[in-house]
Each structure stands twice: as C-alpha cells, then as structure tokens.
C-alpha cells in the first residue's frame, strides 16, 4: 500500500477490517508539546508502528465552497442530505443541458434550483427536485420538459432554456443522514445540499479519532485523523510483531484474569517502602512476578503492639488462623469510658487511682479509692458550682461480692447501690473488669466485638511458622480495612507467596512469555505483614478512620479554675507592688494526650441530672495526685512585710 495521509486512511477505513497495523512514513512534531494534549497523541516519529483497534467519528466539518465558511456538525445531526453529482452550479438551464451532453449523460437528469422558479401555472419552491426529461419546442420557444413530483401527482412544466438558476445536478434517491453520507465511499467527493443548513451547497469533511496500541505505551493512544502525517498499511507483513503494552497492577486487578499471570517488572513506584519485609527489596526492574489472583478474604485488621516504648504495626489478613484472647482495656480518663460504653453491653471497671470528689452544690465529699468497682451506666449533665452545666458520666458503685452473687441479685441490689457522677474531664485510671477466658479466631472476635479491642495471641497461626504476634504481651486491634490484594510470588521463589495492595504498591509490569509454576495444594501466603510507621499513619487517614475523630478537649473544672485565676491575679498585684525583679515560680504545664474514639450511640445522648438528687456525688480529681500542679506556695509579699 502506498503512503496516504492519515485523514484519507481514516475516511477509507472499513471498521470491520480492524485491527490494522500502520507505519508512520513522515512524522509530525508540535513545538514545545509533550506526547499528549487533552488525551490526544500529537507527536509521532517516522518509523513508528501502531495497531489501530477502533475508529470513532468525532465531528463533521461542514464548509461552504463559495465563501469558505465552516461549521461543525455533531454525529447525531438530524438533518438530511441530497448529493449533488456536478462539481459546480449552472447559471441557466441551457448550460446544464450543454454540460450533460458534453459528459455523454443521457436524459433524464435530476436537478434543483437554489432560487424559487415562477411560471404561468405554478411556483416551484427553492431546492425542489425536478427531472429534466427532454428538450423540445413549446409555443415556438426551445424549452426543457421537466416533471415536478409533488407526492400526490406529477406535474409537467415547460421551462425555457434561458431560465436563470443557479441550478445543481443531483443524484436521485431518498435523503440520507449524516452517517449514511460519510459511510458511502461513492459520495466521498461530492457536494451536498441540506434544507436544514443555511447554505445551498456544502462540502462534508469528517474528523475521526483513531485508537491505537503502540510499543511500551501503557494506555490506548488516541490520534486525531486531522494530524498531518502520512501512514502506510503494513498489516500483511506485520503478523509476527507483538506490541508490548505495560500494565499497572491495578489494571491487572480490574481485568480479573486470566490467572496465574507471568509478568516482568518495568517500573517500581517512587517513595519509601510500605512493608519492611525482605521481599520488598526484590521489586526491581527485570524481576519476574507470578500473579495468582485476588486474595481472599478482602478484609484485614490493622494491629499495633502494646507494652513497648516504640510500638510496631502489622496488617493481619482475615485468613489468620491464630487464636486470640481478650485483654482488659485501660481507660486513662472518664471520657474514654464514655467512648467505650455500648448499648446492651455492661461496662464494669476498677479504679486504679484515688479520687476525692466534692458535691455539686454542697461541700460534701465522697471518696473513690483504688480497687473500687464501678459500672458505667450512661452520660448526663449536672449543675456546677457557678450555675453552669457539667458533662458527667453516671456510674454505680459495686460491692465487693462475687460476680456470681451480683448476677443473681442484681435487680435487688440495684436500688441500694450508690450512684456517683464522674466529670468527663477527670484524669485518672480505670481498668476493665472482665472474666472472658475464651479463645477467639480473628473472624469471630471482629464479628462479636467492636474495634478498637485489646487482645493477646495465645496460639500462633500454624500456616505461618514465623508468626510474630504471639511474642508480644498485648495487641490493639485498631480497625478493619476492606481492600483488594493480589497474591504474588517471585518467579525465582514460587514457594514464597505474599499479598500486595495495588492501591498503595502499583507496580508497572508487562506480560512475559512462558508458563508460570503452579504450587501444589494451597498457596503458602503469609497472613501477617509488618507495615512501616509512615504507611501506618497513611492508613489512619483512610475514610474507614474518619469516624474516629479525636474528642474535644475536656472542659476544665469551673470552681477550681476560677479560684486559680482569682488567686493568680491577687498574687500578681501584690508581687508587682513589692518586688519588681522577683517573679513567682512557674508551675509545670499539664501534658495533653490524644483521646481515643468516642463511639456513636445512645451513650452520647445526655440527660439532665439534678445535683441535689440523693445518693449522687460529683467526684473531682484528687489534688494530691496532681504533682506540682497545686502546691500551696507561700506569698512572697506577706513574708517580706513580716520581715520588715
């Protein structure tokens, strides 16, 4: 095939013959451009090969041959076109007949006039098709005998050959749509008329978009047919050519097979590794991977270690077969107790610090000692000493009887038990009271209890000999994540399989030749993978963790803060009057901690609790346990006056 322009190739292309392999004979370059502009290829080199797989009509450019004006028509344009067989218009009927005689055309011929024709008996509208049957004398005038088809009947008109036009010869037939005109090769170079458009004659030039595959191009290349480049069809001599098309692991996942798939790494995404595992170092260009398919199940649990200064983080697959036992949860504040409270699940805790609480509106005190057992009931509000409402947690003090007796006589003792109020800003310590000695699988544990949850692995996963989780004294199950992973193995080590997430480790690969090795039996996949700290905090930003927004800063005690502010002002005034250079010692600042998630439910529904209700006490933090926060410093001004 001789080289042709890309536009001519696209116009003559039969979509049924695709795919076609083209070679670029003369390249085109747009100065200062990159390979793609708005998703279209704009830079092709001489000698490039491409496999055209699809062709799509974008628009049709409609041009007025007389003025050169153009407009674009959408592929779904609803107008109809009549082809004009002659390349030009004729000024009179005599010129039309003379041109037909010179071209050896036999009568009848079809024509139309772009202007209205008025006769003695009828007015012929513009663009009305007429059929010229013969030339004869009519009332001593040389006339053209024409037939006008009105639909109901045919009318014979005798028009003198001197009748002025312009006249256009047209091809008889039914009107055609835009797509029919562009798909008919016989009409490719003809003029057309369309009653819907303002021009009497027009030229149609289609603009196509060719979709092609090129060497080492990961995506489909989109090439406009108007690109000024010559191509040659080399399909017949290029049957042996294989176009290498790179793939992302995310694209392999979306294709859903066929698996297993043997691939070769072309590019590794930049950035720090997300897994500190040894196999991460094998991900280099040229390394072969065997992809076995989608990992099952899709969900995983993010796990952090407890009891170490520097915690480690793991991602545990839902297929983990180890056994876990629940551990009592620790709550540093009353606010954490509110977050752990769930409807229908009793929450009992033991205090690990002493507290002395003042009454809400009186000076009475109640004590909360280490070892006191409490049952968290609900949240509420109480009136503070300054008339402002305080968010509190309603708890019930439990006796020291055994749990069996409490369960039997719970309803009888409920009326006699003392109820106390804990302000949510109480900074103390509580540990959950539980007697659950069952061994759970990871699936059962996440189904029965909400996360986060603290556990201890008491039996390792037998399918994972190097399971590191049993070596830790405690684990915190952070959150359940649902994300598709691919089961992959190195071609050099088919017995070592691991799971990688294309969302965060999207390798660029290419299909490799050969048959992948299929391990006998089930795939030996590691169900526990350690993650780096950077990747762990990246996971914490996922939408699954959006519900775990940090709680608001706990409010300060109204009475205590007011006293501190007032005493601070008085001390400042006295000190400034007596000593200008000496300043009072600075108190240490309290360290703030990020509070865990507050679960949503009925525990967040506040109920107003009257402060004078019998048996209710509002406990406040013990001032003795606050370190240097509230030392009774001696007034420097008073001491100085006594000395004088």
């Amino acid at each position: 095939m001789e080289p042709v322009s890309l536009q001519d190739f696209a116009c003559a292309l039969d979509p049924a013959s695709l795919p076609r392999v083209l070679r670029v004979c003369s390249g085109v370059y747009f100065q200062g451009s990159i390979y793609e502009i708005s998703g279209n290829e704009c830079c092709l080199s001489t000698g490039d090969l491409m496999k055209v797989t699809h062709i799509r009509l974008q628009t049709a450019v409609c041009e007025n041959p007389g003025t050169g004006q153009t407009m674009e028509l959408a592929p779904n344009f609803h107008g109809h076109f009549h082809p004009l067989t002659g390349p030009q218009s004729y000024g009179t009927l005599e010129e039309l007949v003379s041109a037909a005689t010179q071209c050896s055309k036999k009568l009848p011929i079809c024509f139309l006039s772009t202007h209205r024709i008025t006769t003695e008996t009828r007015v012929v509208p513009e663009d009305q098709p007429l059929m010229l049957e013969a030339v004869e004398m009519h009332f001593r005038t040389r006339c053209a005998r024409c037939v006008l088809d009105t639909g109901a009947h045919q009318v014979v008109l005798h028009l003198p050959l001197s009748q002025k036009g312009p006249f256009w010869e047209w091809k008889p037939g039914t009107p055609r749509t835009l797509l029919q005109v562009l798909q008919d090769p016989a009409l490719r170079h003809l003029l057309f008329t369309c009653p819907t458009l303002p021009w009497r004659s027009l030229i149609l030039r289609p603009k196509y978009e060719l979709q092609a595959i090129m060497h080492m191009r990961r995506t489909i290349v989109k090439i406009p047919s108007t690109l000024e480049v010559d191509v040659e069809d080399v399909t017949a001599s290029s049957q042996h050519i294989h176009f290498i098309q790179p793939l992302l692991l995310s694209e392999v996942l979306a294709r859903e097979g066929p698996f297993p798939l043997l691939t070769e790494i072309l590019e590794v995404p930049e950035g720090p590794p997300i897994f500190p595992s040894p196999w991460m170092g094998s991900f280099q260009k040229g390394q072969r991977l065997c992809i076995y398919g989608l990992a099952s199940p899709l969900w995983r649990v993010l796990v952090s270690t407890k009891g170490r200064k520097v915690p480690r983080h793991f991602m545990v697959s839902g297929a983990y077969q180890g056994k876990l036992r629940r551990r009592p949860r620790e709550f540093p504040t009353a606010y954490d107790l509110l977050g752990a409270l769930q409807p229908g699940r009793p929450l009992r805790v033991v205090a690990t610090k002493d507290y002395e609480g003042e009454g809400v509106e009186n000076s009475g005190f109640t004590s909360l000692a280490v070892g006191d057992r409490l049952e968290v009931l609900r949240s509420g509000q109480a009136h503070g000493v300054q008339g402002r409402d305080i968010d509190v947690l309603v708890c019930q003090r439990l006796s020291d009887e055994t749990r069996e007796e409490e369960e039997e006589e719970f309803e009888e003792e409920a009326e006699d038990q003392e109820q106390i109020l804990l302000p949510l800003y109480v900074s103390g310590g509580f540990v959950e009271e539980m007697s659950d000695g069952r061994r759970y699988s990871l699936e059962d544990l996440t189904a029965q209890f909400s996360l986060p949850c603290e556990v201890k692995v008491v039996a390792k996963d037998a399918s994972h000999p190097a399971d590191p989780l049993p070596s830790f004294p405690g684990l915190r199950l952070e959150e359940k994540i649902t994300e598709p992973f691919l089961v992959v193995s190195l071609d050099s080590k088919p017995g070592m399989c691991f799971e990688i997430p294309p969302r965060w480790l999207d390798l660029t690969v290419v299909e490799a030749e050969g048959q992948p090795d299929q391990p006998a039996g089930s795939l030996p996949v590691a169900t526990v993978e350690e993650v780096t700290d950077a990747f762990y905090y990246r996971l914490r930003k996922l939408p699954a963790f959006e519900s775990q927004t940090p709680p608001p800063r706990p409010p300060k005690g109204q009475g205590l803060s007011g006293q501190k502010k007032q005493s601070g002002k008085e001390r400042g005034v006295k000190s400034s009057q007596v000593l200008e250079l000496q300043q009072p010692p600075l108190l240490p600042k309290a360290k703030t901690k990020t509070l865990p998630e507050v679960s949503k439910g009925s525990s967040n529904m506040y109920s107003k609790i009257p402060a004078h209700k019998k048996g209710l006490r509002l406990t406040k933090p013990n001032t003795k346990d606050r370190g240097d926060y509230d030392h009774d410093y001696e007034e420097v001004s008073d001491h100085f006056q006594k000395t004088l």
Side-chain angles (χ1 to χ4, degrees), residues 157-198:
L157 301 174
H158 288 83
L159 302 178
L161 294 182
S162 59
Q163 179 71 45
K164 293 183 178 181
F167 300 102
W168 291 87
E169 185 180 357
W170 68 281
K171 187 175 182 179
T174 58
R176 308 191 185 192
T177 64
L178 178 61
L179 293 179
Q180 290 174 339
V181 169
L182 297 178
Q183 292 173 358
D184 191 345
L187 305 178
R188 187 170 303 147
H189 302 290
L190 298 182
L191 297 175
F192 298 89
T193 181
C194 179
T196 309
L197 300 177

Side-chain angles (χ1 to χ4, degrees), residues 53-104:
T53 57
H54 294 87
I55 184 170
R56 181 178 67 89
L57 177 65
Q58 287 184 311
T59 59
V61 178
C62 179
E63 180 182 350
N64 186 340
T67 62
Q69 293 178 304
T70 61
M71 68 172 62
E72 289 190 353
L73 304 179
N76 57 351
F77 177 70
H78 296 294
H80 291 81
F81 296 86
H82 293 276
L84 305 177
T85 57
Q88 62 183 8
S89 61
Y90 304 96
T92 62
L93 281 178
E94 187 172 5
E95 294 178 6
L96 175 62
V97 173
S98 175
T101 303
Q102 292 177 4
C103 296
S104 302

Side-chain angles (χ1 to χ4, degrees), residues 559-573 635:
L560 186 59
S561 63
Q563 295 174 5
K564 285 184 178 180
K565 291 181 180 178
Q566 184 64 26
S567 62
K569 292 181 180 179
E570 295 176 356
R571 292 174 185 176
V573 172
E635 291 289 346

Side-chain angles (χ1 to χ4, degrees), residues 50 60 63 80 143 171 178 197 231 253 300 312 314 335 381 386 390 414 420 422 429 472 512 524 599 610 612 619 638:
M50 67 180 80
E63 180 182 350
H80 291 81
C143 299
K171 187 175 182 179
L178 178 61
L197 300 177
V231 296
L253 180 65
R300 280 154 184 76
R312 296 169 62 183
F314 297 87
Y335 204 102
Q381 285 186 335
Q386 296 182 350
I390 300 176
I420 61 175
L422 294 177
F472 299 104
S599 62
H612 56 77
T619 64
D638 295 342

Side-chain angles (χ1 to χ4, degrees), residues 431-453:
V431 63
E432 184 179 13
E433 184 181 82
M434 58 179 298
S435 58
D436 188 359
R438 292 180 54 191
R439 292 152 55 107
Y440 296 90
S441 65
L442 183 62
E443 182 178 5
D444 293 339
L445 187 67
T446 55
Q448 297 181 30
F449 302 96
S450 61
L451 301 183
C453 178

Side-chain angles (χ1 to χ4, degrees), residues 78 114 132 135 373 600:
H78 296 294
T114 56
L132 195 157
V135 177
R373 299 173 56 234
K600 297 180 180 179

Side-chain angles (χ1 to χ4, degrees), residues 129-141:
L130 296 170
M131 182 182 294
L132 195 157
E133 293 184 335
V135 177
E136 59 187 20
M137 298 298 293
H138 183 70
F139 294 113
R140 299 181 181 182
T141 303

